[in-house]
Amino acid sequence: MNIQSNYSYNISMQGKGLKTNKPEGSSWKKFKRKIKQKVLDILPEKTFKGENSETDKYTDVNTVLSRPDVNRLIMGSTAILTQPWIDRYNHRVDEETRKVSMYRTISKIIAGTAVGILVRGSCYKLVDRMTQLNGNKKSSKALLPKAWIEKFERNPKQLKNYKSALSTCMALIIMGFCTNFLLDAPLTLWLTNKFTDKNKNRNKQNGKEVLNG
């Protein structure tokens, strides 16, 4: 891949190209093009061949990652690996407060991720069953707008995006009005108490061992 100059001074229907204060052949312009070309030369070239090429694999991966339940799992995994450490090493508070904050954060992430995967996965399966282009049941096309059916038949990728978007919106509504209060909050509180009690019992045992020692 080579970089070509993007300046043109040929007369056309649109007029002349943009003028700059520095001429095209200036040392600064040449230097920037050389740097860009060096970067492009370093990057590996990738070519896809054949009808059933690697592009199909990338498309499948993209389809899986765009699913709301899988997306929530990735978010939860990232959060559990990063957020608790912020509370654990917050030196503006005492040791006991740091531990309780860490346990509360861990509990919130676990509860939110578990409930989120459950709700979003269920919504996706429901939407998938009700957006079948070739389905024979009455409910197979219940969530397919009639005006869009031909478009989805011509482009199945748009149908996949539609399923992901619709199921995500459905899940957010359900979680906002129901599960956040009925499942997330109680589960977070229960897990926090479990972790805190376990930490207290561990401290008591360690204290006894020190006294006995």
Side-chain angles (χ1 to χ4, degrees), residues 1-4 6 29-43:
M1 183 184 295
N2 295 318
I3 298 176
Q4 302 295 332
N6 59 352
K29 298 292 183 182
K30 290 181 179 179
F31 176 74
K32 287 199 299 183
R33 284 201 297 273
K34 286 182 179 180
I35 295 298
K36 292 179 181 179
Q37 186 62 57
K38 289 291 184 182
V39 173
L40 291 176
D41 291 340
I42 294 173
L43 295 176

Side-chain angles (χ1 to χ4, degrees), residues 97-125:
T97 303
R98 289 202 295 267
K99 289 184 178 180
V100 173
S101 298
M102 181 184 67
Y103 294 142
R104 185 183 298 111
T105 299
I106 293 174
S107 302
K108 188 182 298 184
I109 294 172
I110 293 175
T113 302
V115 175
I117 291 174
L118 176 63
V119 175
R120 295 178 190 223
S122 300
C123 289
Y124 186 86
K125 290 181 179 179

Side-chain angles (χ1 to χ4, degrees), residues 133 141 144-156 158:
L133 294 174
K141 299 181 181 179
L144 280 176
K146 294 182 179 180
W148 295 358
I149 291 179
E150 292 184 3
K151 182 193 297 185
F152 290 149
E153 289 177 345
R154 293 193 303 268
N155 192 345
Q158 288 187 347

Side-chain angles (χ1 to χ4, degrees), residues 7-18:
Y7 295 100
S8 175
Y9 293 93
N10 296 329
I11 298 176
S12 63
M13 294 182 64
Q14 286 77 25
K16 294 184 178 181
L18 296 174

